[in-house]
Every structure is written in structure tokens, then in C-alpha cells.
Amino acid sequence: MPWLTETQKDVYLRDGYLLLEEGIEPALIDELVQAMNGFVERSRGLTASTPDILLGPGHNADRPMLRRIPQTVAFHPAFEAFGLRGPIVDLAEELLGPDIRLHHSKLNFKSGGGGEEIKWHQDIQFWPHSNYDPLTIGVYLADVDHEMSPMGVFAGSHQGPISTLRDASGAWTGSLSDQEVAALDPGRLRWLTGRRGAITVHNCRTVHGSKANLSSRMRPLLLHTYAPCDAIPLTRIMDPVKYGNVIVRGGPVAYARMSDTPCPMPPDWGAGDYSSIFSVQQEKLG
Ligand SMILES: O=C(O)CCC(=O)C(=O)O
């Protein structure tokens, strides 16, 4: 059965986001949670981040504070199967067509009692492509209520201006300026709360972010960015990363599709300098 009705596809094109309450089946979520818990347990023995576990401030063995597992698909078979062959690839196909690449994946933890704010931003400036169809599919690995810092999106903002994500001096901030935030319509802000397994989808131009998690509960959000194969990445940031930019459905296409709208570029991070949005905002891959 398809994930989306034609109406839902139209809503995505209009609003730049979707929230699917009836998301991933519990047994599959259990597998992903089990994989996630393995990383949390392993983090107890860490005092510094490793390539697969990025620690947050205040982390210790008794109270693990994880920021992120970057490129989840590279680090655990359950995540690999989910991101490369799982049901969200079907969802991506319904929105993007038959030829799809996975650009990257990540698991944002937002640990309870301190998980940091992610300031308002758009994603595409972190990893520009030749057009604006790339999107990110999120899956909550726990019930997420308003206290737990759900992701917030500004409906329709994907049709608005594209920020440079730089300050007045031109320095990269990875987030919208105060003036750009002030120009957003608060009436269009939607907080995407959802049950364990619920799915979020947001377009690469949709303004989104989340507050600090002041609850005692962790808010794990598993994110996968997919692009149609005719959206060609303009930077090489994922080149050396396992499963970076890998085709997950269909095959390569003969032509790049180019948008008429220029895309602001990030600093030149070279190839493979994969890092997290937290260190960018509080620099690199969104
Ligand atoms: O984890 C979140 O709440 C937001 C994730 C996000 O904005 C991103 O990683 O680009």
C-alpha cells in the first residue's frame, strides 16, 4: 500500500513538510531502538567523541549525553537496512520518483536535561544540489511531546527566501539571522510532536529547528536525506563517507536538472569533513 494519497503529496508540495502519525511498524522501531541503545551503552566508556558517536556537553558514564550518530547507515546493519532498503525509501520514491540517492543519514539524540537547541535553518545550504528537491525523512524513536523539543517547521517557508546562513560580516553561522527569523510568520510555525514511529518529512528549503530539550527524556530523531538522482550535489562533503550519495532506488540519470534559483554556498569544507549541525551552530553538515 502506498504511504501517501495524492492529497498528501499536494500538501507536501504546498507546505514543504508532512507529519505521518501512522509511521513505522512497532517491530521495526524495536530493532532500531535496540541498535540505538547499543550506541548509548557503548558511549558510557567514552570521554571523547568517536567517528560513530558524537558526544554532547556534560556526558559521563552515569548520564550519557549523546548528540548524534552521524551516517547511521555506515555503523550498524539495522540502520543500513533501514536507510538503504527500508520502508522510508518507498516513501521517498512516492515524493521523488524512481531514481533516488541517499545523501546522508544521522540520529539526533537531544538527550534529556540538556539536549541543545538547533537554531532555525534550511538544509540545502549545508549541502547544495543542482535543484531543490532533496528532502529529509525523520522517524521518532520515542514518543515525543511538546516538552521534549519536537522539530518545528514553518509551513510554506520552502517557497520563501533562501538564507545565506551567514552573519552581517559574511561569516557562516549555519542559521537564519535574527532579522530573517523576525520576518517569518509565527502563525505558520508547526511543532511536529509524534508517537514512537511517527514520520516527518521536510523539504531542503523548509525553515526548521528545535529548542533545547528540558524534559528528562531523550528525544531520538532518526533522519535520512534523499535526493532524486538528477539533483547533483555541488560539494564533495560525502565523497569519502561510506554510503554517502549512494543510489538506493533506480539508477543514474543522463542529465542533471538545474534550478534557476542560485543556491548560497557553505564554506569550503573539502571532502569528508563530516561533522554535525550542533558544532556548526554552537559549522557543518546540516
Ligand atoms: O533534530 C532536530 O530537531 C532537527 C534536525 C535538524 O534540523 C537537522 O539535523 O538539520
Side-chain angles (χ1 to χ4, degrees):
M1 212 176 77
W3 278 101
L4 302 175
T5 62
E6 291 307 311
T7 303
Q8 284 173 306
K9 291 183 197 175
D10 290 343
V11 167
Y12 171 75
L13 293 175
R14 184 193 69 198
D15 292 344
Y17 82 96
L18 286 173
L19 174 64
L20 306 178
E21 296 281 1
E22 299 301 317
I24 304 300
E25 53 159 328
L28 184 46
I29 293 292
D30 287 347
E31 275 180 45
L32 297 171
V33 168
Q34 198 178 1
M36 171 182 80
N37 289 341
F39 286 86
V40 175
E41 280 313 304
R42 196 150 50 80
S43 79
R44 291 181 191 274
L46 298 178
T47 52
S49 298
T50 55
D52 58 342
I53 299 177
L54 304 185
L55 299 176
H59 170 82
N60 61 54
D62 298 329
R63 192 161 168 259
M65 299 287 282
L66 285 75
R67 273 182 172 155
R68 174 178 285 187
I69 302 172
Q71 194 68 342
T72 46
V73 288
F75 292 119
H76 193 285
F79 289 137
E80 176 187 318
F82 188 70
L84 271 54
R85 299 177 290 280
I88 57 170
V89 185
D90 299 329
L91 172 57
E93 182 174 354
E94 289 177 33
L95 290 166
L96 299 178
D99 303 305
I100 300 173
R101 281 182 291 102
L102 169 74
H103 183 260
H104 70 274
S105 63
K106 60 204 170 197
L107 172 53
N108 282 352
F109 281 91
K110 285 264 174 150
S111 302
E116 300 146 289
E117 174 190 17
I118 297 186
K119 294 180 185 168
W120 300 117
H121 67 284
Q122 296 157 308
D123 288 334
I124 192 68
Q125 302 89 327
F126 287 83
W127 28 263
H129 281 59
S130 63
N131 63 57
Y132 295 101
D133 283 359
L135 53 75
T136 296
I137 298 178
V139 179
Y140 283 132
L141 298 186
D143 293 344
V144 175
D145 60 26
H146 279 285
E147 283 185 350
M148 293 166 72
S149 125
M151 190 167 70
V153 294
F154 281 87
S157 55
H158 65 309
Q159 308 206 43
I162 308 179
S163 169
T164 58
L165 304 187
R166 292 173 185 268
D167 67 17
S169 76
W172 175 260
T173 60
S175 56
L176 269 63
S177 67
D178 291 345
Q179 293 93 314
E180 288 169 324
V181 173
L184 293 165
D185 177 356
R188 308 281 288 163
L189 175 54
R190 312 275 183 266
W191 293 109
L192 307 183
T193 56
R195 313 277 306 176
R196 191 180 196 256
I199 293 177
T200 65
V201 184
H202 66 272
N203 173 263
C204 64
R205 280 175 66 169
T206 303
V207 175
H208 63 287
S210 54
K211 297 178 183 163
N213 181 4
L214 299 176
S215 80
S216 58
R217 288 152 290 154
M218 179 171 81
R219 190 233 58 176
L221 175 57
L222 180 60
L223 296 152
H224 293 76
T225 294
Y226 296 100
C229 286
D230 63 3
I232 307 299
L234 304 179
T235 62
R236 306 186 53 200
I237 196 161
M238 295 306 293
D239 283 8
V241 177
K242 187 177 178 187
Y243 296 137
N245 271 326
V246 70
I247 294 182
V248 292
R249 190 78 37 109
V253 293
Y255 291 91
R257 189 161 44 86
M258 318 292 287
S259 166
D260 289 340
T261 306
C263 186
M265 294 294 282
D268 184 357
W269 291 316
D273 192 1
Y274 185 94
S275 186
S276 87
I277 193 166
F278 299 99
S279 50
V280 178
Q281 288 185 340
Q282 280 146 75
E283 190 159 349
K284 296 174 181 106
L285 204 82

